[in-house]
Amino acid sequence: HQRQVFEEFKKFVSSYIEYVREAKMTRKDSMLAKIFGIFQVNMRGKIHNCVVMQNIFFRLNMKKVIVYDLKGSEANRFAAPK
């Protein structure tokens, strides 16, 4: 599954980089998180692909915010059977 996600990421990364570059050059605000790095981590013999991203809510004065974390973590993720 991780390899499939990484392969999909590679399909749009050049467009992403161009968008972020253009936003910075024109000082255009964006809620698109910046990607600082992509890493492979070996933990207990299992390879994990990690993406380090900017927290777009850091230092924002927002009273009510709903945050969805959909980046693939399997820790403490449970769903009731349908």
Side-chain angles (χ1 to χ4, degrees):
H1 175 66
Q2 286 184 2
R3 179 166 300 283
Q4 181 182 2
V5 171
F6 185 67
E7 293 300 321
E8 289 299 317
F9 174 77
K10 288 193 317 188
K11 289 180 185 177
F12 74 83
V13 70
S14 60
S15 297
Y16 165 83
I17 291 169
E18 183 58 34
Y19 173 84
V20 171
R21 181 181 298 136
E22 181 69 21
K24 183 173 181 170
M25 299 278 292
T26 61
R27 297 180 183 229
K28 181 171 69 172
D29 290 334
S30 175
M31 291 294 284
L32 187 62
K34 293 178 187 78
I35 296 174
F36 295 132
I38 302 169
F39 306 92
Q40 283 193 332
V41 180
N42 185 339
M43 291 176 52
R44 299 182 184 138
K46 185 175 179 186
I47 300 292
H48 298 272
N49 294 315
C50 303
V51 178
V52 178
M53 302 171 71
Q54 173 190 37
N55 180 350
I56 61 172
F57 300 112
F58 182 68
R59 294 187 180 168
L60 290 181
N61 185 14
M62 298 167 56
K63 301 275 187 227
K64 293 183 180 181
V65 176
I66 298 173
V67 177
Y68 297 94
D69 181 7
L70 304 175
K71 293 183 282 297
S73 173
E74 296 175 5
N76 298 319
R77 302 287 173 108
F78 302 100
K82 291 184 178 183

